């Protein structure tokens, strides 16, 4: 299974204003190690002529956050406040979506490209306030080439792309996306791992890079690389490594700059130039998917104990306090999926259970503080690419899809209840969003 798109609790830099909204290209994100065939960068470039023209946008009274949902026929873009559809973009294949890091664009991956979807909203700084704009969502014609396009990470004002088929890591400033793509893609620094593998990389302050260690047979840990000595980004000295993380998978950030990845026997933590390992209480205790928060030192993770299971439906989640190294296991009494984990605005841990409720957990004590009914009871499908209820958090609202009824629900986390629901034109699969 591919790394779950981050529950990206990363702080986004405000997007810069464009005089008008530029058109967008279709992108498609490949599944966990399985690249679905689709239109790639070459096909996108072939249709580039004349499609990066300016598009009219209107000023709005405030930020206009939007949601981006995939489905069998393409991508839907919704107004996050009203849940009304503002755009439908056809795109064949199984597509994965992640925030690009600028509050405006979304990266969509297919097997051969990271493509760029302009959600059509942005905010321009103006003195001590800003002006917000909204326009039509578009797919840009320019895309980042990839081989088995995989994980996207936004951290330290950098966006990092990882291609599983080549081990290629591309790093760029997400603010450059807003400067317009007609003249080309943002400048990137590129690093290629010694061997291709299903991995992830995270950019750090000062130009350092964390990258997974592995090959086609398996993955063992992470390395810390220094800032590139040359302009192309490949000349990086290895400063530190830890190979005590079998099956390394996923990533999340706790607090300001503590990075974690999941292992088959615990969690590997990187902070301030050192790796530490938080071990699972079981010989096999996998925490392969995680959700972090800038407001909390604790990481929320899944927890699986059956190495041989084709599909394990766990009922326990893990909470790792990166300040103390303490691990808590919380039994919810119901199972969940890898798309069930999220974090609230105050750092609260959120898990969407198969009972249809959003379970709210104190990340430090492990106490379940609330259960908010949202959708009908459901069961995780055996095929990981198949739709299932999915959780995404934007500000103080949690959004939950319900493929069985082709609907979406908005939960006010402060009020602890569903405040808006809407029917969708298609059964939703993956979901992400932008702040505007």
């Amino acid at each position: 299974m591919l790394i779950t798109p981050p529950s990206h609790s990363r702080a986004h830099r405000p997007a810069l204003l464009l005089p008008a909204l530029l058109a967008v290209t279709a992108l498609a994100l490949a599944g966990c190690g399985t690249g679905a065939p689709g239109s790639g960068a070459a096909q996108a470039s072939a249709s580039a002529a004349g499609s990066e023209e300016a598009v009219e946008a209107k000023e709005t009274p405030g930020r206009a956050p939007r949601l981006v949902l995939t489905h069998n026929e393409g991508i839907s873009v919704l107004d996050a406040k009203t849940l009304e559809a503002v755009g439908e973009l056809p795109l064949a294949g199984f597509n994965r979506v992640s925030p690009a890091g600028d509050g405006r664009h979304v990266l969509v991956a297919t097997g051969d490209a990271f493509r760029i979807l302009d959600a059509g909203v942005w905010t321009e700084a103006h003195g001590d306030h800003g002006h917000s704009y909204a326009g039509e969502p578009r797919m840009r014609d320019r895309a980042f080439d990839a081989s088995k396009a995989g994980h996207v990470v936004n951290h330290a004002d950098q966006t990092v792309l990882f291609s599983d088929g080549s081990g290629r890591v591309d790093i760029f400033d997400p603010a450059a996306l807003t400067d317009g793509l007609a003249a080309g893609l943002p400048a990137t620094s590129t690093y290629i791992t010694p061997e291709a593998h299903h991995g992830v990389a995270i950019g750090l302050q000062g130009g350092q890079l964390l990258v997974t260690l592995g090959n086609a047979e398996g993955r063992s840990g992470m390395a810390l690389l220094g800032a590139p000595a040359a302009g192309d980004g490949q000349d990086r000295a290895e400063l530190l490594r830890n190979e005590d993380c079998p099956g390394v998978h996923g990533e999340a950030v706790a607090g300001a700059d503590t990075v974690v990845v999941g292992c088959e026997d615990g969690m590997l933590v990187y902070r301030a130039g050192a790796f530490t390992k938080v071990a699972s209480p079981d010989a096999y205790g996998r925490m392969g998917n995680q959700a972090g928060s800038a407001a909390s030192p604790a990481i929320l993770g899944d927890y699986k104990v059956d190495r041989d299971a084709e599909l394990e439906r766990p009922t326990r989640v893990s909470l790792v306090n990166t300040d103390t190294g303490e691990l808590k296991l919380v039994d919810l009494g119901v199972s969940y999926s890898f798309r069930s984990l999220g974090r609230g605005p105050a750092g609260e841990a959120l898990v969407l259970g198969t009972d249809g409720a959003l379970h709210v957990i104190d990340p430090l004590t492990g106490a379940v503080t609330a259960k908010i009914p949202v959708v009908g009871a459901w069961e995780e499908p055996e095929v990981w690419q198949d739709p299932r209820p999915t959780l995404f958090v934007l500000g103080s609202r949690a959004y939950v899809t319900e493929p069985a009824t082709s609907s979406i629900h908005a939960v006010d986390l402060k009020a602890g209840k569903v405040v808006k629901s809407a029917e969708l034109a298609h059964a939703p699969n993956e979901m992400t969003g932008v702040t505007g």
Side-chain angles (χ1 to χ4, degrees), residues 176-255:
L177 290 173
T178 321
D179 295 334
L181 297 177
L185 292 168
T188 61
S189 174
T190 299
Y191 173 79
I192 299 176
T193 61
E195 296 182 85
H197 61 281
H198 172 49
V200 64
I202 305 103
L204 302 177
Q205 298 289 352
Q208 293 182 338
L209 184 71
L210 285 169
V211 64
T212 47
L213 301 169
N215 54 36
E217 276 66 57
R219 305 177 302 279
S220 59
M222 292 207 84
L224 173 67
L225 306 180
D232 62 2
Q234 185 62 27
D235 186 10
R236 291 175 177 267
E238 183 175 307
L239 306 178
L240 189 68
R241 72 163 48 199
N242 184 296
E243 297 184 76
D244 185 24
C245 187
V248 57
H249 192 275
E251 60 76 33
V253 176

Side-chain angles (χ1 to χ4, degrees), residues 44-292:
S45 297
S47 63
S51 61
E52 291 287 354
E53 73 276 8
V55 176
E56 183 177 349
K58 295 182 179 180
E59 187 169 355
T60 65
R63 286 185 182 268
R66 286 181 171 175
L67 302 173
V68 176
L69 294 80
T70 68
H71 50 77
N72 283 340
E73 297 181 32
I75 295 176
S76 299
V77 182
L78 310 182
D79 182 306
K81 295 178 180 178
T82 66
L83 301 185
E84 295 177 356
V86 295
E88 288 288 340
L89 307 169
L91 186 63
F94 174 71
N95 305 306
R96 308 207 70 186
V97 287
S98 303
D102 65 345
R104 169 176 174 176
H105 293 89
V106 165
L107 292 170
V108 190
T110 57
D112 58 359
F114 290 97
R115 307 181 67 184
I116 307 165
L117 186 155
D118 189 337
V121 288
W122 75 91
T123 298
E124 174 199 8
H126 185 77
D128 59 355
H129 62 283
H131 294 296
S132 298
Y133 297 84
E136 180 184 1
R138 301 254 177 152
M139 299 296 273
R140 290 198 181 274
D141 291 319
R142 299 187 182 274
F144 297 95
D145 288 319
S147 172
K148 295 183 180 178
H151 209 49
V152 177
V153 176
N154 313 134
H155 182 60
D157 293 330
Q158 301 168 83
T159 298
V160 182
L161 315 178
F162 195 98
S163 293
D164 291 346
S166 62
R168 178 184 172 117
V169 178
D170 288 305
I171 307 157
F172 65 92
D173 180 351
L177 290 173
T178 321
D179 295 334
L181 297 177
L185 292 168
T188 61
S189 174
T190 299
Y191 173 79
I192 299 176
T193 61
E195 296 182 85
H197 61 281
H198 172 49
V200 64
I202 305 103
L204 302 177
Q205 298 289 352
Q208 293 182 338
L209 184 71
L210 285 169
V211 64
T212 47
L213 301 169
N215 54 36
E217 276 66 57
R219 305 177 302 279
S220 59
M222 292 207 84
L224 173 67
L225 306 180
D232 62 2
Q234 185 62 27
D235 186 10
R236 291 175 177 267
E238 183 175 307
L239 306 178
L240 189 68
R241 72 163 48 199
N242 184 296
E243 297 184 76
D244 185 24
C245 187
V248 57
H249 192 275
E251 60 76 33
V253 176
D257 211 29
T258 299
V259 179
V260 307
V261 291
C263 316
E264 292 177 350
D265 59 358
M267 193 172 285
L268 188 62
V269 180
Y270 172 80
R271 176 163 57 184
F275 286 111
T276 56
K277 177 73 174 286
V278 178
S280 300
D282 300 281
Y284 181 86
R286 185 177 187 270
M287 306 181 208
N289 299 283
Q290 317 86 24

Side-chain angles (χ1 to χ4, degrees), residues 324-408:
T324 65
E326 183 182 12
L327 165 65
K328 292 183 183 294
L329 296 178
V330 180
D331 197 334
L332 300 175
V334 295
S335 63
Y336 55 92
S337 88
F338 71 97
R339 293 187 189 153
S340 292
L341 307 180
R343 302 301 291 268
E348 57 269 49
L350 307 173
V351 183
L352 178 64
T354 53
D355 58 351
L358 189 61
H359 298 248
V360 184
I361 308 170
D362 183 308
L364 297 180
T365 67
V368 177
T369 59
K371 295 181 184 179
I372 307 170
V374 184
V375 300
W378 55 283
E379 183 177 76
E380 182 179 7
E382 293 188 4
V383 178
W384 75 267
Q385 295 97 332
D386 285 351
R388 80 283 309 282
T390 295
L391 169 67
F392 178 73
V393 181
L394 201 59
S396 61
R397 277 192 174 188
Y399 297 90
V400 178
T401 60
E402 191 168 14
T405 58
S406 295
S407 59
I408 185 170

